[in-house]
Structures are given as structure tokens and as C-alpha cells.
Amino acid sequence: MSEQYVYGVHAVSALLINPHRVTKKLYISEDRTDKRLQDIIDKARKAGVSIEQLSMQKLNQRFADFTHQGVVAAASSLPEYNESHLLALLESSKQPVLILILDGVTDPHNLGACLRTADATGVDFVVIPKDKSASITPVVSKVACGAAEAIPLVRVTNLARSMKLLKEHGVWIYGAAGEASHSLYQTDCTGNVAIVMGAEGEGLRRLTRENCDGLFSLPMAGSVSSLNVSVATGVSLYEIVRQRRGAALNE
């Protein structure tokens, strides 16, 4: 079982309550005595996790690449999901289903931010291609603020084939494209829906685009032509939340 470092208060707190991962060791700054860090220490002791307290200087030296906030955990890797898990995840999802597909998002900060918003908006699972995509790293976990522990991330070898499988099982797939004539606000997202967000700068790949049931745009009233992918993802997911809550109120 491979090991991974998780750092930052929110990410480590979420790690310690994740039943699917083993926290092997906790490294804590002895210079911090605040309640948030004490809560983490209490959780770790309750779970029987070994704790090593270090000065902030030594912690900085040992984990020089991390903005760790005084806490770093060594843990087993997250559970891995692939195409073979799609139908089981679909069956266990709430109704209506909400899926986020990220087509080649390679920046770990963007992936982490997308996972954080996906968790906040009730996305059932996130699908990414196995190649040409960021994976779960310490940076992603830190930016996701615990969402990486909570939301299944499915890495598929063939994104177009996986999209076809989802469509065959009743999921409508809409892709974000700046040139689309319909905006997201004109798209009915109250049923079983997956939205596809393209890579930074490049947008959706041709096969991905061709396997969407429709394309949508976001209104751009200023001088810039596009939004950062994590921002566009947040705008889009919260519009779906708005539509669904409105539909529920009208029932």
C-alpha cells in the first residue's frame, strides 16, 4: 500500500475521519497550541495514530515543499476508482444524479478547487481521464480542503467510452464551450446530469465534445474571453443547484 502525505488543517482533519484510508503518522508543530490543532491531536489519539511533535523550524525543513500550517500526516493512498466502478457509483448516487467530468485539467490547484466545489454542491462523483490530467497529490488535497477524502474521483482510460456508458444509463451530458449558442441558464439541469469542463486554455477535446448531448456557454460581459476552469466549474455547479432547488419548491 503506497504512502501519501496530506497537509493543512482542513485536509488532515478530513483524513482522520475517512474510513477508507489509514493514517500512519502525524507530524505536529510544537509551536502551535490553538484549538484547531488540538482537535486534530485528539482525533489522532482516539484513532491510535502515532504523533511526532517537532519545532516549526524542523517541520519546515522536513516538509519544505508544503505550506503545512503546522500539521502533516502520512497516510495510505485514497481508494482508486476506474471504469469498472462507474455503474456501482451511479446506482449508489442520490437522485437526480449530478456528475462532474474534467477533461484534461492538469493544474493541481484547479483540480483541488474543482473537488472542493463539487463536494459543496453535492456532486456524486468526479470523472477524469487517466492520462493528461492531474491526480490526487498533497497539493490537490490541501486546496480541496478535505473534499478529496469525501468525493470519489474516477480515473478512466477512455473518457468518450465512459461518457457513452453514462448516457446509456440515463445521464444527460452537457459540455462547457465558449462558442455555444445556448447558455447554461437555458439548459435544463434538473434531471440526471453530468457537466464536462475542458482543460485550461484548450477546452474540450474533439471526441469529448462529440459525445456531449449539448453544449453550453457562460455569459461573458467584460473584456476577457473565458474563466479559469475552477471558477467556471463553480458557477456552473451552483446554477444547477439553483435550478434543482427551484424545481423542488415548485413541486
Side-chain angles (χ1 to χ4, degrees):
M1 185 180 292
S2 60
E3 188 173 86
Q4 185 180 73
Y5 286 115
V6 176
Y7 63 94
V9 171
H10 292 294
V12 173
S13 292
L15 166 68
L16 288 167
I17 60 173
N18 185 348
H20 304 297
R21 296 183 86 177
V22 176
T23 304
K24 300 178 179 180
K25 191 167 184 176
L26 200 62
Y27 301 90
I28 294 284
S29 169
E30 60 189 15
D31 302 321
R32 279 192 64 169
T33 57
D34 55 280
K35 185 180 183 301
R36 291 203 300 170
L37 211 61
Q38 188 59 50
D39 287 343
I40 288 175
I41 292 171
D42 292 343
K43 285 180 183 177
R45 285 175 176 161
K46 186 176 181 180
V49 176
S50 172
I51 301 173
E52 181 176 347
Q53 290 191 303
L54 302 168
S55 68
M56 188 65 86
Q57 182 182 7
K58 288 184 177 179
L59 205 59
N60 288 337
Q61 290 172 348
R62 188 161 185 172
F63 301 104
D65 295 334
F66 304 157
T67 308
H68 50 69
Q69 299 177 307
V71 55
V72 180
S76 61
S77 297
L78 278 164
E80 294 187 357
Y81 298 94
N82 55 42
E83 290 101 325
S84 68
H85 299 100
L86 279 175
L87 292 186
L89 286 169
L90 203 56
E91 289 172 5
S92 64
S93 296
K94 64 184 182 307
Q95 296 294 320
V97 173
L98 179 55
I99 301 164
L100 173 63
I101 300 173
L102 300 174
D103 185 21
V105 173
T106 57
D107 186 310
H109 291 87
N110 280 336
L111 177 58
C114 288
L115 290 176
R116 184 175 182 177
T117 307
D119 180 65
T121 52
V123 167
D124 294 291
F125 55 91
V126 177
V127 180
I128 62 173
K130 191 172 182 180
D131 298 323
K132 296 182 180 179
S133 177
S135 57
I136 296 296
T137 64
V139 171
V140 172
S141 292
K142 172 68 165 57
V143 174
C145 283
E149 305 295 328
I151 190 163
L153 183 67
V154 187
R155 301 185 67 186
V156 300
T157 54
N158 189 315
L159 186 58
R161 184 173 62 210
S162 296
M163 290 170 67
K164 289 176 182 177
L165 181 65
L166 291 174
K167 291 199 295 183
E168 288 169 2
H169 288 80
V171 178
W172 290 81
I173 300 180
Y174 300 107
E179 74 279 7
S181 57
H182 279 71
S183 79
L184 181 61
Y185 308 112
Q186 298 170 297
T187 306
D188 182 2
C189 297
T190 56
N192 294 327
V193 166
I195 61 166
V196 194
M197 312 302 293
E200 303 94 345
E202 300 175 12
L204 301 178
R205 292 177 294 173
R206 181 183 60 83
L207 270 179
T208 304
R209 181 186 297 254
E210 289 176 357
N211 279 283
C212 289
D213 292 300
L215 300 175
F216 67 85
S217 60
L218 295 174
M220 301 295 294
S223 58
V224 298
S225 60
S226 63
L227 295 173
N228 170 279
V229 64
S230 64
V231 174
T233 298
V235 171
S236 301
L237 288 174
Y238 270 102
E239 166 57 15
I240 295 173
V241 170
R242 186 198 67 79
Q243 288 189 24
R244 291 181 172 187
R245 289 190 175 177
L249 288 172
N250 292 328
E251 286 181 354

